[in-house]
Amino acid sequence: MAKDQKKQLRPKADTPKGFRDYFGADVTERKAMLDAIGKVYELHGFDPLETSAVETVEALGKFLPDVDRPNAGVFAWQEEAVPGGGSGDWLALRYDLTAPLARVAAQFRNDLPIPYRRYAMGPVWRNEKPGPGRFRQFYQCDADTVGSASVAADAEICAMLADALEAVGIARGDYIVRINNRKVLNGVLEAAEVRADQAEDVLRQIDKFDKVGREGVLALLTTGRKDDSGAVIKGVGLTEAQAAPVLAFLTSKGDDNAATLEALRVAVGGSAIGAEGVDELAEIARLLAAMGVTENQAIIDPSVVRGLGYYTGPVFEAELISIPDKNGRKRQFGSVAGGGRYDGLVERFTGQKVPATGVSIGVDRLYAAISLSRVLLREGPVIVTVMDRQRMAEYLKIASELRAAGIRAEVYLGNPKNFGNQLKYADRRDSPIAVIQGENEVSKGSVLLKDLYLGEMLADSMSREEWKAQPTQFEVPRCELVPAVKKLRDEINLRVADLHRQDSL
Amino acid sequence: MAKDQKKQLRPKADTPKGFRDYFGADVTERKAMLDAIGKVYELHGFDPLETSAVETVEALGKFLPDVDRPNAGVFAWQEEAVPGGGSGDWLALRYDLTAPLARVAAQFRNDLPIPYRRYAMGPVWRNEKPGPGRFRQFYQCDADTVGSASVAADAEICAMLADALEAVGIARGDYIVRINNRKVLNGVLEAAEVRADQAEDVLRQIDKFDKVGREGVLALLTTGRKDDSGAVIKGVGLTEAQAAPVLAFLTSKGDDNAATLEALRVAVGGSAIGAEGVDELAEIARLLAAMGVTENQAIIDPSVVRGLGYYTGPVFEAELISIPDKNGRKRQFGSVAGGGRYDGLVERFTGQKVPATGVSIGVDRLYAAISLSRVLLREGPVIVTVMDRQRMAEYLKIASELRAAGIRAEVYLGNPKNFGNQLKYADRRDSPIAVIQGENEVSKGSVLLKDLYLGEMLADSMSREEWKAQPTQFEVPRCELVPAVKKLRDEINLRVADLHRQDSL
């Protein structure tokens, strides 16, 4: 009873709901991906910015700008007001990387180069209901140009996004950057004589284009429709004649940019803002071509509806259209990045409109896509086993020699009594090779190298007897340890690559 | 009046007190430093672990384990209790990387390899009073081995720490890893017949050894002393005979490890735990030597007092003893890393004692040290200026060609009307070269390259007339743009390196 009570007092070893841990290769490979993206951003002249996780609620704005659900929010707390210490301010964890950029652009407006090209990568936090695959801390990776009204800045972001996707291993043809423009939609609404008070409602409905399709949106824009549950959704109340150009806009993508632009010119009718929007898209298309970006990398596509409510000019989205998995099967992943032009960035702080454009990559989804097709290499360390605790110095020396040759290596530091445990440990560490030196080897001036991968690889293709007969370990002179381990490691890597080739045939 | 009121409603564009932003090179160079350290950790068989910033207060423990000031604490908040959503738990930002490791080691104890070698790097948060150079978010970079009682694990951490410091550019001889052992101190206290209830008090006093020296500590251990302000600090009440072995312990560092160990054997007298501690230090010294670590890299030093109250066995500290600045002057930086062995890591959660040892590098201080001596290279992008807005496509094409050759390049995207502004921008971007193509160049099929660094560099050594006469720009055929920019960039880098050599003579 007393023991039970004591047990209850122990804290639970759990991550909070909606948070998770990343181990080993998931950390290093995601980092390698971010490094590759960062290199592309740098090459384009973007400079890194790293802000703190914590902002004042005042600077951040308490709620997400593009989410209107009531329980969507931030993690916030009030500082204790202590004389000379805490200010009594409300503080919060950043919910994206754009809000801190806005604060920085306002705070350092006299020191930053203008235009200011910056990139940022790091975790953001959302106080939302967690769910399967839905976490409350996740990574974003953004690039923005602040202070340039030129559509060249938008074109540059699109070209850079294509470069970044290719840099992390997405093949050309497996992704597409789609570009739309809010001004074109504004022109269409003007041409269709949609009332100003209906515009927001129209935006809400066309946002469902991906889900409900052409007929569904037509119904939503006019008299309404029943959803799958039978509930009636009220229509916006446009006439069919008013809805027609809106639908024409959404479906005006042609075989190439020239055809799409022609269709858009018709859709915007005589609207000046619409014509401006189409001109911008035409200019973006021309600039992308000049940069060598082809239409199977980035294309004008008016069916991109996400973000049209938030952005004020060009809108972009990168979609993975077909990613081969390890067996060569193609899989769809959907959108992995989105962005566009927005003018209100700094205005909250300074009252001045500052033009800005940028993109945010959804790091976790992109990582999931590239993990799907990656070849697993044996990245575990060489394990130097402990046969004789008295010889620990020699084992550490062996590991040091291997490391000096650039080979990842470690000595087994658990209780060495049970040798089986050492091999189990090596297996758990994904180790390719064990180095063994017992009394027998010491007397002969040699070491044993055990190929920890061979048995596993052969097990599928041969009988237990054949498998057991395979020479998985061999002896080398102590002085030839390093070259022998290097050779064996190279052989193992070749074998792994071979196996993968066979798998994907 | 109305205008004033509106202005007051605008949010302040400020970081919260105690937080800061990192720009450009400070981000990339700190990252390069962490990457180099991570590579060393990986090579030693340590695996990365990335936990969330947020933990439950329950798992974290609300207060810092090694700080007893009342206002030292964490940033914490209570979740809303929402059916199906928020749990009503108290959540907090992690204050170090060890507490999350403890939680992970307990939560995944059946899945992790044992021993578990892990490294982690990332920000931690402390709810402390900010001050000059004292921030409430800062980086840590830790490596720990969980589940090994062997002092080989401690020796390995010390060797790895030395490797890591050298990997980031600290020369051998400019740093030292000092090693002490809490068990030796326990032995000394036992030999001096210090009562159990006095031990904590003794620890508090010897922690001041760095500040008050031998005589000061003697006074503090016995009858007390007056501090600089004249306030009387009560002594522990030991006799001089009891205090003597404690002081002998603190000052027992000899010319080499052998001499130090001999002095320590005397200091611990007949104490069994003391003898065990000295044996451990002797074994660590032997294992370090086997790994090729010399005594000017890592050495037994009983004057290391920091951490003796917290750790239960070996204690380590890395100090930068002399770091040359850009002018070759040597500067001291003090401690940049600390660690040791502790047994209570997982016990809070599971009731089981699990041996662990590890080190934490103070990233910001180490970065400050290596920044001091680093040579600044021109890392800014080549700027393609805009002479004619109609030719934007051609300017973007030029930048693309340069990037395809691996040269960081961008087009000026601000208002191009004032060419002086473009050059000011290039200067602010630390740009080495501007590419200029006006009507004249277009007609000749050429471009101008402007060396933006030459003028600046010559300005010191010549008159204004001479300086103005310097040919800082020259014309090349458009088709030779890329090789010409490469050549000029290499020349500029050579010049910078030359200048540095002269500076340091």
Side-chain angles (χ1 to χ4, degrees), chain A residues 153-391:
Chain A
D154 301 286
E156 180 181 70
I157 294 272
C158 292
M160 189 166 75
L161 180 56
D163 276 3
L165 293 174
E166 293 187 17
V168 303
I170 310 287
R172 197 167 293 187
D174 288 349
Y175 71 89
I176 186 81
V177 177
R178 304 185 203 277
I179 307 160
N180 198 358
N181 194 335
R182 169 65 197 251
K183 287 183 187 170
V184 177
L185 174 62
N186 285 350
V188 169
L189 298 181
E190 201 176 285
E193 293 180 359
V194 172
R195 290 197 319 269
D197 64 306
Q198 292 172 317
E200 207 170 306
D201 224 7
V202 168
L203 269 166
R204 208 186 337 267
Q205 302 308 349
I206 66 174
D207 208 31
K208 297 172 188 159
F209 183 56
D210 289 344
K211 272 191 227 153
V212 302
R214 192 184 193 291
E215 293 311 308
V217 170
L218 175 60
L220 289 168
L221 290 178
T222 52
T223 55
R225 71 188 284 271
K226 279 188 188 164
D227 72 7
D228 291 343
S229 70
V232 175
I233 299 165
K234 210 171 153 257
V236 179
L238 302 187
T239 64
E240 295 238 347
Q242 283 182 303
V246 177
L247 287 162
F249 161 71
L250 292 174
T251 57
S252 57
K253 186 169 176 302
D255 283 343
D256 57 18
N257 283 342
T260 306
L261 289 165
E262 211 179 293
L264 287 178
R265 290 212 186 277
V266 174
V268 298
S271 161
I273 185 75
E276 188 182 318
V278 179
D279 286 347
E280 285 182 3
L281 287 177
E283 177 69 359
I284 289 173
R286 196 173 74 91
L287 296 177
L288 285 171
M291 286 187 275
V293 177
T294 59
E295 291 189 14
N296 77 334
Q297 294 180 277
I299 197 160
I300 309 297
D301 185 345
S303 75
V304 173
V305 288
R306 216 171 48 154
L308 279 183
Y310 174 62
Y311 295 112
T312 53
V315 177
F316 353 107
E317 188 170 65
E319 193 186 330
L320 300 188
I321 41 184
S322 75
I323 298 296
D325 68 14
K326 286 189 198 77
N327 303 315
R329 274 189 297 264
K330 297 273 183 170
R331 285 183 45 184
Q332 282 202 311
F333 262 84
S335 172
V336 291
R341 179 168 282 280
Y342 46 100
D343 293 328
L345 188 74
V346 188
E347 198 180 7
R348 289 182 58 226
F349 295 104
T350 65
Q352 271 188 306
K353 271 195 197 297
V354 173
T357 184
V359 71
S360 180
I361 292 180
V363 171
D364 298 295
R365 188 179 284 200
L366 182 59
Y367 177 64
I370 66 170
S371 312
L372 192 72
S373 56
R374 74 165 181 245
V375 173
L376 281 168
L377 277 180
R378 290 265 138 164
E379 304 260 24
V382 171
I383 305 288
V384 181
T385 59
V386 175
M387 303 299 285
D388 175 359
R389 216 192 278 249
Q390 298 308 311
R391 297 189 54 75

Side-chain angles (χ1 to χ4, degrees), chain A residues 6 8 55-56 74 94 111 166 191 195 203 221 231 249 277 322 340 368 377 413 417 427 449 453 492:
Chain A
K6 198 175 170 191
Q8 279 175 2
E55 299 275 348
T56 64
V74 299
R94 65 183 178 205
D111 307 306
E166 293 187 17
R195 290 197 319 269
L203 269 166
L221 290 178
F249 161 71
S322 75
L377 277 180
L413 290 182
K417 272 189 185 156
D427 187 51
L449 300 188
Y453 201 23
I492 291 176

Side-chain angles (χ1 to χ4, degrees), chain A residues 19 80 87 322 357 397 413 501:
Chain A
F19 293 89
E80 260 181 282
S87 55
S322 75
T357 184
K397 186 163 182 285
L413 290 182
R501 231 187 335 269

